[in-house]
Amino acid sequence: MDIQKNLIGGEWIAGQESIASINPSDTNDVVGRFALAEAAQVRQAVAAARAAQPAWAATTTQVRSDLLQRTAHELFARREQIGELVSREAGKTRAEGIGEVTRASQIFGFFAGEAVRYGGENLPSVRPNIGVQTSREPIGVVGLITPWNFPIAIAAWKIAPALAFGNTLLLKPSEETPAVASELFRVLERNGLPAGVANLVNGHGAVAGAAIVDGVDALSFTGSVATGRKLAQSAVAKMVRVQLEMGGKNPLVVLDDADLPQAVECALNGAFFSAGQRCTASSRLIVTDGIHDRFVEALRARMREVQVGHALAAGTDIGPVINQRQLEMIQRYIAVGKDEGARLIEGGNVLERSTPGFFMAPTLFVDTRNDMRINREEVFGPFATVIRARDYEEALALANDTEYGLSAGICTQSHKHATHFRLNVKSGLAMVNLPTAGLDYHVPFGGTKGSSFGPREQGSYAADFYTLTKTAYIGH
């Protein structure tokens, strides 16, 4: 099997070592082998991006827009083919894989428009005979580090605005999903990406991720809290602008007046689809007394109907978790929950299927307290807990009692409670009668507290991170 290379300065370059990408639905299926970039090659990629940046920033906005639009068109045209690669490498169901590639296409298309839309302001001065103008300029060279759970969508919502606003970049994808990243860069190349403008460096985080901080002007990272904090400390010491999207322990509040079938579907989707491997997953189900028992039984019944299996198999609702390490970590949290006194009432067992993979049944604990580890720490798998609350006020207090603040949801037919929740929950995203997971691409995304740091991603708000604002005073 040929080893796929890294794209540095317009050339596909080999590395001294390589890693295999394994299909989590069938560990006998090797998706590919990929070269690992050592620190010197990361520095080479930074230098290539630095050399290419002035010319790229000097291109017209139409040139940048056209590259992004052509990329969007190819992604959409090939969404089934590339979507299958996403499913094969990341363990998403076929529908999820195709849906993610479609979303990546939409993101590139949106920023094709933003490339010619963004601008500044003409303002009057508070002093006579002076005009004031503000304008946006590219920040320079941007380092991007992306996770495996949305391997093409998250890469798209970082790459597209970086290029739209005249920056150059290097991307380090997760070691779990190098094939998807490689395919995305080949799409960009085919559609006119100039040499050095976007560079791809696969590598271990401790080597490649750490090396990216040296020499870039800005760093956008999506991943774990521990890694994000380390990168932030390093970046701030070097005066590198930082954008971090990290973990969540997202609450879904279900009130007595909720539409029960709707609430159950919100919980099922938010907690367990994509094998629960979403930073916006509903991991804490906070349910008030009057509906608690009916909700739990109805959710258990729906969980038993869900089909767990090979991501590309017909009828699969939930695919595998990403790897053996993640599977074992989730099993450890199940043991922690039992030790803490929570009651496991559904799932949690490792499953065998026709192919060797990392399959497990969706897991539900009840009789939990908010101070338990299983309600404080992100598990990142098909794992949810139920916390009983007396009323809305206690439910809101429980929802806010976390170090995270990414997404939060409420199921209720009360306009009063929905509005109060939306205004008072301490999270960047608030969902009403919807799963906590599920986003639009044209609006800002991000959290509060320990979930996020820095300007928002996506939508027109992305310009706040990927550009610098200049203010000019003109006397006349």
Side-chain angles (χ1 to χ4, degrees), residues 41 50 101 142 164 173 187 190 193 207 234 313 337 353 360 395 456:
Q41 286 183 318
R50 181 71 64 192
V101 178
V142 184
V187 171
R190 275 193 297 274
L193 178 71
V207 177
S234 178
R353 292 295 182 258
M360 67 169 289
R456 290 291 191 248

Side-chain angles (χ1 to χ4, degrees), residues 31 44 54 60 98 136 188 225-226 237 243 256 270 291 299-300 329 364 372 377-378 410 441:
V31 180
Q44 183 182 351
T60 66
I98 294 171
R136 290 188 180 272
L188 285 164
V225 173
Q243 178 185 66
D256 290 352
I291 199 172
L299 180 57
R300 289 183 72 185
M329 187 186 75
L364 186 66
M372 291 178 172
E377 300 173 12
E378 186 177 39
I410 187 169
Y441 59 87

Side-chain angles (χ1 to χ4, degrees), residues 382-398:
F383 183 108
T385 66
V386 178
I387 306 171
R388 187 188 289 264
R390 291 185 303 275
D391 51 26
Y392 168 73
E393 287 72 22
E394 185 182 24
L396 176 62
L398 289 166

